[in-house]
Amino acid sequence: MIEAKDIRAGYGDGADILTGISLSADRREIVTILGPNGCGKSTLLKTIAGYVRPRAGSITFGGTDVTAVPIHEKVRHHKVGYVPQTDNVFGTLTVAENILLGARQLAKAEKEKRFAALMDQYPALAGKKNRKASALSGGERQILSLARALIAGPEILLLDEPSAGLSPLMMHEVFDAIGAIRDSEGMCILMVEQNAFEALGIADRAYVLSLGQVAMTAKASDLLEDPAMRKLYLGGEVHAE
Ligand SMILES: Nc1ncnc2c1ncn2[C@@H]1O[C@H](COP(=O)(O)OP(=O)(O)OP(=O)(O)O)[C@@H](O)[C@H]1O
Ligand SMILES: [Mg+2]
């Protein structure tokens, strides 16, 4: 579904941040991107989303070349949902208004149908749909960002640290929601995460980045099970669970 080949990208006239990255992700698959702070994870996601234009390499979605297609067109014509790392919830708008921002291109009937389906799916939001988003907890805000991306009916979902700043309990809720989307919608999900162990728990495959390159790629279960990999790439001590 997503195929990125030999991507080089950076900002302005600065040096390349991504120095030749290739990656793929299929339908009904969660692929997680791991790696230390500043290694280029968000830049990679922004490049695939179309916020940053690659300087070299190619990106295709379902075989269609989208290398130079900007984000707004990817959302409109290529069924992409992107949830950035920085909070993009508008505190002064209600929960419902925030979600409907993602549905501007839909006809009224379709919009209402999908909104109702999301309310069924996320009771935490349904109970607060007319409240200002500023009254939500961190986890609820993450779910809200996700719901806003989902209302447009994406086939590809790009998530940048969906569990950032969440308590372990909320983190599990958010990850459960993401896993459920893959299974029920057959979506292709590319997810950057700091919480490597948790992310690998729901992911199918992983790419570990280092200094703008892919240092390794593996099945998530293999990465979780290999003690050397755990120590080397996930930063943690090896411990029984
Ligand atoms: N808008 C920008 N303009 C210039 N440089 C940037 C910009 N955004 C990121 N960078 C630089 O690109 C490099 C990679 O940043 P990026 O945000 O992709 O890392 P990351 O892996 O997502 O890090 P983190 O885990 O902290 O989110 C860093 O050196 C950063 O300073
Ligand atoms: Mg980042």
Side-chain angles (χ1 to χ4, degrees):
M1 189 74 195
I2 301 174
E3 190 83 49
K5 284 210 183 96
D6 303 323
I7 297 295
R8 303 184 82 86
Y11 299 93
D13 51 14
D16 287 349
I17 303 289
L18 308 180
T19 56
I21 286 195
S22 297
L23 155 161
S24 69
D26 285 328
R27 278 179 217 282
R28 206 170 289 282
E29 187 175 49
I30 296 176
V31 172
T32 190
I33 300 169
L34 309 173
N37 291 119
C39 70
K41 303 181 297 297
S42 293
T43 303
L44 177 58
L45 215 60
K46 283 188 265 181
T47 305
I48 292 171
Y51 271 110
V52 171
R53 189 170 171 160
R55 292 169 176 169
S58 67
I59 302 168
T60 59
F61 290 167
T64 304
D65 184 73
V66 293
T67 311
V69 177
I71 177 75
H72 57 274
E73 267 183 56
K74 283 207 176 101
V75 170
R76 273 184 100 83
H77 303 302
H78 298 280
K79 295 193 174 279
V80 172
Y82 170 61
V83 181
Q85 183 170 0
T86 46
D87 189 349
N88 66 344
V89 162
F90 294 97
T92 55
L93 300 182
T94 66
V95 168
E97 286 165 346
N98 266 285
I99 294 174
L100 291 169
L101 284 176
R104 278 170 297 184
Q105 68 271 40
L106 299 181
K108 190 162 177 286
E110 185 65 18
K111 200 183 284 196
E112 285 171 1
K113 193 177 109 199
R114 292 195 194 174
F115 183 79
L118 285 169
M119 291 300 98
D120 286 345
Q121 214 170 335
Y122 302 116
L125 296 183
K128 296 184 177 173
K129 68 179 175 188
N130 296 319
R131 299 269 298 275
K132 292 268 190 288
S134 54
L136 298 183
S137 73
E140 289 166 344
R141 287 166 87 97
Q142 295 285 26
I143 301 268
L144 175 55
S145 294
L146 195 58
R148 177 161 65 203
L150 290 177
I151 196 166
E155 291 175 356
I156 292 174
L157 198 53
L158 307 172
L159 305 175
D160 199 343
E161 302 210 16
S163 78
L166 301 187
S167 68
L169 188 69
M170 278 311 306
M171 190 198 310
H172 279 117
E173 269 186 41
V174 169
F175 280 158
D176 284 351
I178 295 167
I181 294 163
R182 168 196 52 199
D183 299 337
S184 64
E185 316 282 331
M187 223 176 271
C188 170
I189 301 175
L190 200 53
M191 176 175 81
V192 169
E193 261 301 333
Q194 291 277 342
N195 291 303
F197 287 108
E198 303 291 342
L200 290 169
I202 62 160
D204 299 282
R205 289 189 299 119
Y207 289 85
V208 182
L209 303 194
S210 171
L211 297 173
Q213 296 208 314
V214 175
M216 75 169 308
T217 176
K219 273 174 68 182
S221 52
D222 289 348
L223 208 50
L224 270 177
E225 278 162 21
D226 186 320
M229 289 189 203
R230 285 176 77 136
K231 203 163 156 80
L232 193 56
Y233 291 105
L234 305 180
E237 287 302 312
V238 182
H239 55 87
E241 281 178 348

